[in-house]
Amino acid sequence: MNRFRASAFAGLLTVALAACSSSGGASTPTPSPTPTAVPTPSAGTSASGALPSFNLPSNAKELEALLPDTLGGAKVTKASMKGSDFVNSSSSNAELKAWLDSVGKSLNDVSAAFGFVASGSAVFAFRVQGVDNSKLIDEFKKTSDTSGTAMTWTSANVGGKNVQQATDTSQNVKIYLYGSADLMFIVETNDPAIAQEALSHLP
């Protein structure tokens, strides 16, 4: 899931679908033509360590606003994209295409945002206009399972939210899926307290 987080700058949906099912090494997708510096935050970085200086895309501010501003007392660094921002980098990705095809949508219907803290925890938000979150989550799980190492999903209540949770054994990271309206959220963390905090702030 380090690839999931670090490569999100270049194509949020591509990374979300490919890395959640990846058991191999990290390969970075072709960056978006949007001129932004692409940092690669490490999961081993101290929570109190300084993050590098960079400019992140922020073209779906309404989604960014749904993410928590702090996690575990640390400021959350946020970014967001519209589908048109990363169409050139993501349109040929098989997992992304399969997921969007399964819900009858295209990149024009997508926006995405994410936030992370230096300790490695991250929250992702995906909106696919007009598609119920339960369908987004179900199809996301199916696409992930058929494109790499399958994960065992179970139902739970975390932070007052009904979620689907699983452990990515290839990266030893806990994944939480939660939905609301036409939104799908993914929380990635090894800290149960952070998971509780992050999910409790989501709509």
Side-chain angles (χ1 to χ4, degrees):
M1 297 300 292
N2 291 341
R3 174 190 174 196
F4 184 113
R5 180 175 54 256
S7 300
F9 299 90
L12 294 173
L13 293 177
T14 299
V15 174
L17 292 168
C20 271
S21 59
S22 172
S23 59
S27 61
T28 304
T30 303
S32 163
T34 303
T36 57
V38 181
T40 54
S42 169
T45 305
S46 168
S48 59
L51 291 173
S53 176
F54 44 74
N55 295 320
L56 297 176
S58 183
N59 298 326
K61 295 184 185 299
E62 73 283 0
L63 283 188
E64 288 184 41
L66 300 178
L67 303 180
D69 293 324
T70 61
L71 287 174
K75 181 181 178 180
V76 173
T77 299
K78 300 181 184 182
S80 61
M81 293 180 180
K82 300 285 189 180
S84 57
D85 294 328
F86 49 90
V87 61
N88 289 338
S89 65
S90 304
S91 58
S92 63
N93 179 269
E95 291 85 2
L96 171 63
K97 186 176 187 303
W99 185 52
L100 291 176
D101 285 349
S102 72
V103 297
K105 295 293 181 177
S106 70
L107 279 171
N108 291 329
D109 304 300
V110 174
S111 55
F114 78 98
F116 71 92
V117 291
S119 61
S121 298
V123 184
F124 295 77
F126 301 93
R127 168 171 279 138
V128 183
Q129 292 184 358
V131 181
D132 185 75
N133 64 87
S134 60
K135 185 171 181 64
L136 295 177
I137 291 172
D138 287 345
E139 296 300 333
F140 178 88
K141 293 190 311 186
K142 290 176 186 176
T143 302
S144 297
D145 287 347
T146 58
S147 61
T149 303
M151 291 186 285
T152 300
W153 297 93
T154 59
S155 299
N157 189 285
V158 181
K161 302 296 194 300
N162 293 323
V163 303
Q164 293 289 304
Q165 61 181 12
T167 299
D168 181 347
T169 56
S170 68
Q171 300 291 335
N172 194 30
V173 161
K174 194 89 168 191
I175 310 300
Y176 303 84
L177 301 180
Y178 163 69
S180 175
D182 58 357
L183 293 161
M184 180 180 73
F185 295 94
I186 304 172
V187 175
E188 170 201 339
T189 183
N190 278 325
D191 187 338
I194 293 292
Q196 291 270 352
E197 181 182 1
L199 286 158
S200 71
H201 281 85
L202 298 179

